């Protein structure tokens, strides 16, 4: 086997799958296994893809999985940083690093997300693609279910779809939010400007939105830290919330936490929405 064959995506996945002890992945040790390592269906379950998809990757019938899928595979296979970099390159992606958009929710962010309960919360990439949202945030901003909402991009929703301005009004007007979003994206470009996905997003939105193009060409760059918005909710009515941005050290993802001052009418409306979300989460008897 040549060195180039060893480095293909399919051969790498097969090698790392076969070396992994199923017990390390939490798989039952019972039953006889014809081959060592994880079964394809077990890796598929861990990575959140189909077993057929794993087969096609290993057989070389599909060679360009998304960066999100590569990240999930690396996590499922418990790859080292160097191995993860190799897997990304084999899948024709730039490996995660200072010059690329992080597409994984880091462990620190996962801990924060799991421990901040009862508040609308989301995790975004540096180009404002949604990585995670809880049910309360989706209910607040009229998004589909968290699973369906993940992958949507706030820049596109704001400048192309025009959805953001219909759902919530930033204090100071929509222009304040637009400028803050573009300035944050401009700041990210200093580190991420060579990332193909980042370049594609900026070029696409510039071509489709004269407003975005004009703001981008102004060159303003600043981190997006906090904003007050009035959400126009069809059930609980208008409520004013604080949207605060938390950055995760060692990553370029950002956590958005929404809250209302306790004891006021906005907090009561958020409580009502929280109760509604909890009610709809209970299966019908």
């Amino acid at each position: 086997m040549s060195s180039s064959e060893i480095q293909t995506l399919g051969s790498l996945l097969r090698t790392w799958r076969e070396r992994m002890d199923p017990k390390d992945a939490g798989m039952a040790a019972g039953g006889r296994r014809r081959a060592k390592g994880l079964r394809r269906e077990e890796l598929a379950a861990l990575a959140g893809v189909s077993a057929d998809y794993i087969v096609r990757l290993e057989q070389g019938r599909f060679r360009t999985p998304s960066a999100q899928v590569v990240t999930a595979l690396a996590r499922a296979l418990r790859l080292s940083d160097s191995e993860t970099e190799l897997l990304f390159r084999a899948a024709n992606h730039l490996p995660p690093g200072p010059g690329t958009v992080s597409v994984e929710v880091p462990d620190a962010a996962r801990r924060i997300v799991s421990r901040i309960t009862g508040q609308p919360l989301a995790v975004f990439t540096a180009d404002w693609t949604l990585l995670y949202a809880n049910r309360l945030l989706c209910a607040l901003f009229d998004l589909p279910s968290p699973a369906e909402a993940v992958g949507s991009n706030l820049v596109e929703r704001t400048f192309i779809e025009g959805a953001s301005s219909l759902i919530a009004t930033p204090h100071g007007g929509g222009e304040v939010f637009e400028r803050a979003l573009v300035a944050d994206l401009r700041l990210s470009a200093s580190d991420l400007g060579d990332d193909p996905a980042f370049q594609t997003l900026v070029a696409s939105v510039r071509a489709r939105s004269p407003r975005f193009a004009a703001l981008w060409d102004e060159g303003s760059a600043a981190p997006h830290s906090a904003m007050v918005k009035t959400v126009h909710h069809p059930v609980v009515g208008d409520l004013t919330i604080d949207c605060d941005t938390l950055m995760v050290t060692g990553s370029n993802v950002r956590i958005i936490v929404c809250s209302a001052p306790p004891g006021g009418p906005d907090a009561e409306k958020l409580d009502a929405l929280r109760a509604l979300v909890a009610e709809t989460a209970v299966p019908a008897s």
Side-chain angles (χ1 to χ4, degrees):
M1 181 181 292
S2 69
S3 59
S4 61
E5 291 174 320
I6 293 173
Q7 300 296 335
T8 64
L9 177 63
S11 65
L12 288 171
L13 283 177
R14 190 163 48 251
T15 297
W16 288 328
R17 176 175 60 80
E18 291 175 351
R19 80 173 181 188
M20 190 167 180
D21 188 332
K23 287 185 279 189
D24 290 339
M27 299 297 173
R32 299 187 63 181
R33 289 176 177 264
R34 291 180 297 175
K36 61 182 179 179
L38 285 179
R39 298 186 177 105
R40 290 187 179 95
E41 58 268 24
E42 291 171 337
L43 174 58
L46 290 170
V49 298
S50 69
D52 180 66
Y53 189 77
I54 298 295
V55 171
R56 285 185 286 144
L57 288 176
E58 290 192 356
Q59 292 180 349
R61 290 187 283 141
F62 188 68
R63 301 181 182 182
T64 55
S66 69
Q68 287 88 343
V69 168
V70 176
T71 297
L73 289 169
R75 188 189 306 118
L77 292 166
R78 299 193 175 190
L79 301 185
S80 68
D81 290 345
S82 298
E83 291 167 343
T84 298
E85 179 178 345
L86 184 58
L87 184 63
F88 266 80
R89 294 192 184 281
N92 297 311
H93 290 292
L94 286 175
T100 59
V101 176
S102 298
V103 293
E104 178 181 9
V105 181
D107 291 340
R110 290 181 184 277
R111 286 193 294 272
I112 294 171
V113 166
S114 66
R115 294 171 187 175
I116 299 180
T117 58
Q119 300 294 348
L121 185 149
V123 182
F124 286 91
T125 65
D127 67 0
W128 292 96
T129 297
L130 186 64
L131 287 178
Y132 169 86
N134 62 13
R135 295 181 70 244
L136 184 54
L137 182 128
C138 290
L140 179 63
F141 288 105
D142 193 29
L143 294 171
S145 69
E148 294 175 287
V150 166
S152 63
N153 185 274
L154 185 59
V155 178
E156 292 179 330
R157 282 176 56 82
T158 300
F159 289 97
I160 296 175
E161 300 171 21
S164 298
S165 60
L166 299 176
I167 296 169
T169 301
H171 285 203
E175 181 179 348
V176 173
F177 177 62
E178 291 176 347
R179 287 186 176 278
L181 197 59
V182 175
D184 183 87
L185 202 64
R186 256 292 189 183
L187 187 63
S188 295
S190 62
D191 292 326
L192 305 170
D194 292 334
D195 185 313
F198 189 91
Q199 290 179 338
T200 298
L201 173 72
V202 172
S204 173
V205 181
R206 283 194 70 185
R208 299 164 66 188
S209 169
R211 174 62 177 161
F212 176 87
L215 291 176
W216 181 266
D217 291 342
E218 286 182 4
S220 298
H224 183 61
S225 56
M227 185 160 288
V228 180
K229 295 182 179 181
T230 297
V231 179
H232 313 296
H233 198 275
V235 177
V236 301
D238 285 2
L239 68 157
T240 299
I241 56 170
D242 297 304
C243 298
D244 295 295
T245 304
L246 309 178
M247 300 300 295
V248 180
T249 302
S251 172
N252 51 40
V253 305
R254 60 284 316 276
I255 303 172
I256 307 297
V257 182
C258 302
S259 61
D266 298 309
E268 292 177 359
K269 291 179 180 180
L270 191 56
D271 284 340
L273 186 60
R274 193 177 290 116
L276 181 63
V277 169
E279 180 182 331
T280 57
V282 178
S285 57

